[in-house]
Amino acid sequence: MAETQSAITPLPLSNLKTTLIVTSVSGVTLLGSFLSGALTIALPSVAEDLGISAANLQWPVSMYSLVNGVFLLVAGGLADTLGRKTLFLVGTAAFAIISLGVSFARTSFSFIILMSLLGLGPAILSPAGAGILGATFPPGSRIRTIAFASLGAGQPIGFITGLVSGGILSSKWRSVYWLLCGLSTGLGITAVYSLPPDVHLTRSRMMSQLKEFDWIGALLSSIGATSLIFALSDAESAPDGWSTPYIPALLPTAATFLVSFLWWEEKREQNHKHVLMPLSIWRAKGLGTMIAMIFCAWAAFNSMQYLSTLMYQQVQRISPLRTAIYFLPMAGSGFLLNVLAGKLTGQVSALKLICAGLALSMGAALAFCLLNPDANYGFGMLWVMLLSVGPDLFFSAANLHIQNSVGEDKQALAGSLFMIATRYATALGLAVCSAISTAEARKYTLRTPSTSFNGFNSTSIATASSDETSFSPDALLQGLRAAGWACFAFTILAFAIAIFGLRGTDIIEKKSGDEEPSDDIELPELRAPTIQLEDISRPEKVAFDGADAEFSRDSTVYGSSFRSRMNPTDADSIGSDGPVAQL
């Protein structure tokens, strides 16, 4: 099917239809980042309304990210089998229906389950939408680069809009999901009439490709990752904590499934069958080290956003709207770092950019841990906001390093692993930080059953039972500080991996044949769980030889930034036969 698709020359499109295609695809991508921004601000209000305990507060975000990451590779393979437009419309409908369902959640359990299912929407839409743009607009055309620029611009625009909307609608948080449902429905209707039809597949051919799909690998990886995150997330809220029987039982279960997944993938790859993740790619020089560094850095970055929200609203008792305003400097700082990264990439080695970015992240975690909650914003949390986006300084260089470390035929898969690493890092980082924060807050409550802290006249709970729904501000502060030190440890680990594992990393340079574009545009992505869509339509090349072979050669959405060449004459960097475009 993929070969058929790539052989078809895209038909000329009217300006109206072109606009509708770009709007529907980039608009749906915007919805995911909008949700991330809104939930960053509104989560404490949701917890108060539904009675989500302090120990379980991170569950909606971590499970959303986990499900999204688990199904990204699966959705990428299915896009070529079932058709990109078909899968895109399925994802749009799923996002709208589940968003509506979340708005009617009446218990913490139903909210967490529905938020988990909501992660399916972006997982389906990301590869399908990127593949549609790559297949619709011809390589080398200006509209193609503009289309991907719009796709990347939806990330920061959606996140900032979500922050403000979450602040305004936090007391009526269900309206956020009604808004998401309405927007998704409208964009889906636009997609029905504007997106080009899929290449027809006979029923027998489709069933044959579905049978070839690595369903067992998908099941093993899903169960393994979910068991691990569940055990870490639920340990502190379980009836007997870590001693609760199912907690220690889940850890070896997760290890068994994950090891089985690796064994299964190796076996299928040796037999030349479809695999979700060919293990041979990890032999590429520097790939595993770079992804390990990215994992640790992103775990700290996303966790810091979550902890900052709790610091603002539950310790400093700042309103949701004011919290949203306090988050805005982070957007400005991220934008400036992206611009700076665009200037330095190609002139400074990736290792130097990584160390500088991690130094900023360490500074943010340290400032958070030593924060006086009574301090003026300008002398306290402002610096956490400005410094916490340190990864924006090196994500582009790190991504390019990963792309350069693998062959031309595996760049799509390398980009997918990069993206999935950030998703898993979000889930695992939140689980670890939440467990540490809850444990420390509980210990503090047992030591000081009744306290007042720095002007907060509050009485903590008398006992630290496993079913508490809240802690006093002073107990929360101690827990958040402990979690902040965990973020600091994540960045230290990332720094050590970079120093000892990436020594000798050269300046990321262009491959021969690339010309310097006359005009670069940097658009930052500043949302908590980010999406990297590098050549996302090509992962299925491993599966069915199918994918848009031209997709990544003009645009890349990196983990925390989007960079697109806007020079319409730069045909070498984005043509079908040219090397991958680099910064």
Side-chain angles (χ1 to χ4, degrees):
M1 172 182 176
E3 295 176 352
T4 304
Q5 284 184 344
S6 62
I8 294 176
T9 301
L11 297 176
L13 299 172
S14 65
N15 290 336
L16 175 60
K17 193 161 188 178
T18 297
T19 301
L20 291 177
I21 291 173
V22 174
T23 299
S24 59
V25 174
S26 60
V28 171
T29 303
L30 179 147
L31 295 181
S33 57
F34 178 93
L35 174 60
S36 298
L39 202 58
T40 296
I41 304 301
L43 187 58
S45 299
V46 175
E48 183 178 356
D49 186 27
L50 300 180
I52 302 177
S53 67
N56 293 327
L57 191 56
Q58 49 77 36
W59 268 94
V61 179
S62 62
M63 292 305 296
Y64 172 84
S65 298
L66 177 63
V67 171
N68 188 285
V70 165
F71 284 95
L72 274 171
L73 281 179
V74 177
L78 291 177
D80 246 11
T81 302
L82 302 179
R84 297 177 184 128
K85 179 177 181 179
T86 299
L87 202 66
F88 186 86
L89 295 178
V90 169
T92 303
F95 198 92
I97 294 171
I98 300 174
S99 293
L100 184 62
V102 175
S103 70
F104 290 102
R106 299 298 174 186
T107 64
S108 60
F109 178 79
S110 61
F111 180 78
I112 292 171
I113 292 298
L114 288 170
M115 278 297 301
S116 301
L117 295 176
L118 192 58
L120 291 171
I124 295 173
L125 291 168
S126 295
I132 287 170
L133 295 184
T136 302
F137 303 114
S141 65
R142 181 174 177 81
I143 187 59
R144 179 181 172 97
T145 55
I146 292 177
F148 281 106
S150 300
L151 188 67
Q155 309 297 327
I157 292 174
F159 184 71
I160 294 173
T161 305
L163 283 176
V164 177
S165 300
I168 296 174
L169 302 174
S170 61
S171 60
K172 300 178 180 178
W173 61 268
R174 298 179 191 276
S175 57
V176 171
Y177 292 93
W178 295 338
L179 181 60
L180 285 171
C181 177
L183 291 174
S184 184
T185 301
L187 292 169
I189 293 174
T190 302
V192 169
Y193 293 100
S194 64
L195 297 185
D198 293 321
V199 176
H200 178 68
L201 271 185
T202 63
R203 181 179 179 84
S204 60
R205 177 61 175 165
M206 182 180 297
M207 294 304 297
S208 175
Q209 291 190 351
L210 286 175
K211 289 179 180 179
E212 294 174 6
F213 193 81
D214 187 11
W215 295 109
I216 295 180
L219 183 64
L220 291 174
S221 61
S222 301
I223 296 176
T226 303
S227 299
L228 177 61
I229 300 300
F230 182 87
L232 294 176
S233 300
D234 199 51
E236 288 300 327
S237 60
D240 296 321
W242 287 94
S243 299
T244 306
Y246 66 81
I247 297 298
L250 281 174
L251 294 177
T253 299
T256 300
F257 275 98
L258 292 176
V259 170
S260 299
F261 168 70
L262 297 178
W263 171 83
W264 177 256
E265 295 299 285
E266 182 179 15
K267 179 181 178 181
R268 287 182 65 89
E269 185 179 8
Q270 291 174 350
N271 293 330
H272 305 290
K273 296 182 178 180
H274 169 259
V275 293
L276 290 180
M277 185 185 70
L279 301 187
S280 59
I281 194 173
W282 294 104
R283 292 195 290 267
K285 182 180 179 181
L287 175 65
T289 302
M290 187 66 79
I291 287 184
M293 185 279 298
I294 290 295
F295 185 95
C296 295
W298 206 244
F301 171 61
N302 277 330
S303 297
M304 282 302 300
Q305 293 188 54
Y306 169 75
L307 298 176
S308 297
T309 298
L310 300 185
M311 178 67 76
Y312 283 136
Q313 297 191 46
Q314 295 191 349
V315 175
Q316 296 182 332
R317 299 301 175 93
I318 294 173
S319 68
L321 180 58
R322 193 175 172 189
T323 298
I325 295 174
Y326 280 179
F327 264 97
L328 293 180
M330 184 181 70
S333 178
F335 177 80
L336 293 177
L337 285 180
N338 275 291
V339 173
L340 181 61
K343 300 296 183 182
L344 295 179
T345 301
Q347 302 180 28
V348 179
S349 70
L351 180 59
K352 291 181 179 179
L353 291 176
I354 290 169
C355 290
L358 290 175
L360 295 178
S361 296
M362 283 188 277
L366 193 61
F368 185 87
C369 296
L370 303 178
L371 177 72
N372 178 358
D374 284 340
N376 183 276
Y377 174 72
F379 296 98
M381 286 297 294
L382 174 61
W383 294 100
V384 177
M385 298 289 96
L386 294 175
L387 299 177
S388 63
V389 290
D392 280 314
L393 188 60
F394 63 81
F395 258 63
S396 294
N399 199 313
L400 283 171
H401 177 84
I402 289 175
Q403 298 302 319
N404 291 345
S405 67
V406 300
E408 191 78 16
D409 60 329
K410 292 185 178 179
Q411 291 189 10
L413 179 60
S416 297
L417 293 175
F418 186 99
M419 173 176 54
I420 292 169
T422 63
R423 296 298 192 185
Y424 280 8
T426 299
L428 185 62
L430 289 175
V432 171
C433 288
S434 178
I436 292 174
S437 177
T438 302
E440 187 60 30
R442 182 180 293 118
K443 291 179 183 178
Y444 183 87
T445 300
L446 287 173
R447 293 196 305 265
T448 56
S450 181
T451 60
S452 64
F453 177 77
N454 288 345
F456 291 112
N457 295 320
S458 59
T459 301
S460 61
I461 56 177
T463 61
S465 61
S466 61
D467 60 348
E468 77 280 314
T469 59
S470 64
F471 293 108
S472 65
D474 46 337
L476 279 172
L477 178 63
Q478 299 306 312
L480 293 178
R481 281 176 172 167
W485 286 115
C487 292
F488 185 77
F490 274 126
T491 56
I492 289 291
L493 180 57
F495 194 87
I497 292 173
I499 290 294
F500 295 105
L502 298 174
R503 284 184 299 178
T505 301
D506 297 326
I507 294 174
I508 305 296
E509 301 200 4
K510 300 177 185 299
K511 296 179 181 179
S512 60
D514 277 354
E515 298 178 2
E516 182 68 21
S518 62
D519 197 11
D520 285 336
I521 288 182
E522 284 287 331
L523 297 173
E525 180 189 354
L526 298 172
R527 65 189 185 88
T530 59
I531 295 180
Q532 183 252 346
L533 295 175
E534 164 65 16
D535 202 11
I536 197 70
S537 66
R538 290 176 58 197
E540 52 273 36
K541 182 172 183 179
V542 178
F544 310 113
D545 272 29
D548 176 22
E550 334 287 5
F551 166 62
S552 70
R553 295 194 167 96
D554 59 341
S555 302
T556 300
V557 179
Y558 297 111
S560 62
S561 65
F562 179 86
R563 183 174 181 85
S564 177
R565 297 175 182 268
M566 298 299 293
N567 184 359
T569 64
D570 189 15
D572 290 338
S573 66
I574 55 181
S576 59
D577 295 323
V580 175
Q582 300 180 26
L583 307 184

